Amino acid sequence: MSKAAEWLREERRKTLGDWVAICVECGHGQRYFESEADLLPPGCPNCGEELRQRCGECGARIASMFAVECEGCTAQLRNPEVRGLAVRRQQGPGPLRKSA
């Protein structure tokens, strides 16, 4: 990761929250500061399902709203699709656009 990208990531964390809790069912995500982790709701505010704060395998916190796999142990954090749409775009060229 470039220094500029790392700087942006740190600024985002300082402003929006250090970590992310994601719903395993509907995809709702919520950033939070580590000091306020115990204030998170016990379930998703949208659907009531599990609001996952940590990897189930290694216990690592989740850093990205779009995480599908744990950065530490590569265990699956949630289904890679929510409501039929991919959580993360596939690597490679983007969609082709028609020129005007």
Side-chain angles (χ1 to χ4, degrees), residues 15-75:
T15 305
L16 302 174
D18 299 310
W19 305 105
V20 176
I22 50 178
C23 176
V24 297
E25 183 65 29
C26 75
H28 171 81
Q30 182 174 343
R31 293 198 72 86
Y32 66 93
F33 292 100
E34 190 168 349
S35 62
E36 299 173 351
D38 54 341
L39 300 177
L40 286 170
C44 175
N46 289 336
C47 68
E49 292 294 324
E50 177 189 359
L51 194 60
R52 187 168 290 169
Q53 301 175 39
R54 295 179 176 265
C55 172
E57 296 291 320
C58 70
R61 291 193 186 267
I62 302 169
S64 171
M65 194 79 67
F66 301 100
V68 174
E69 293 180 343
C70 176
E71 291 179 2
C73 70
T74 68

